[in-house]
Amino acid sequence: MFEEILNAVKNELGGHPDIAGNVTPEQETAIHDEIAQHIDNATAASSSGGGILSSLEQAVSSGGTVTNAIEGGLIGSLTSRFGLPPSVTGAISAALPGLLQKFAAKRAE
């Protein structure tokens, strides 16, 4: 599942002008890996918790607190690790809910 998530992250964010213009190719690869790992961990944890998965899916679709908590942890981690400017973290934040929703639903299947 991780490789599928990583490919989706690369497709969603690869070449994004706000990201590509502000990070090196090596940083971009590391950022993609960290985002994919974060999504994989979040969706795996939610699928083993039964009701947590449905809470995650509902929160993702409504921009709720579970999504905000996941997003905040990831953005905080990326910012501290890479010193990313707001344009990069904004692009990642915008893509994250859709990515989470896609893979939370796959874990439920």
Side-chain angles (χ1 to χ4, degrees), residues 14-53:
H16 190 289
D18 288 330
I19 297 173
N22 288 296
V23 298
T24 67
E26 294 80 19
Q27 285 177 314
E28 187 172 23
T29 297
I31 290 167
H32 291 165
D33 287 343
E34 188 156 338
I35 294 168
Q37 188 63 56
H38 202 86
I39 292 170
D40 190 46
N41 290 343
T43 58
S46 67
S47 68
S48 65
I52 296 171
L53 178 62

Side-chain angles (χ1 to χ4, degrees), residues 27-105:
Q27 285 177 314
E28 187 172 23
T29 297
I31 290 167
H32 291 165
D33 287 343
E34 188 156 338
I35 294 168
Q37 188 63 56
H38 202 86
I39 292 170
D40 190 46
N41 290 343
T43 58
S46 67
S47 68
S48 65
I52 296 171
L53 178 62
S54 111
S55 296
L56 176 63
E57 290 173 332
Q58 289 173 359
V60 166
S61 65
S62 65
T65 57
V66 174
T67 304
N68 293 343
I70 292 168
E71 181 180 312
L74 175 60
I75 297 303
S77 172
L78 292 172
T79 300
S80 66
R81 185 170 170 199
F82 298 104
L84 301 176
S87 60
V88 173
T89 57
I92 294 168
S93 292
L96 193 56
L99 289 166
L100 280 168
Q101 187 172 30
K102 178 180 180 179
F103 291 103

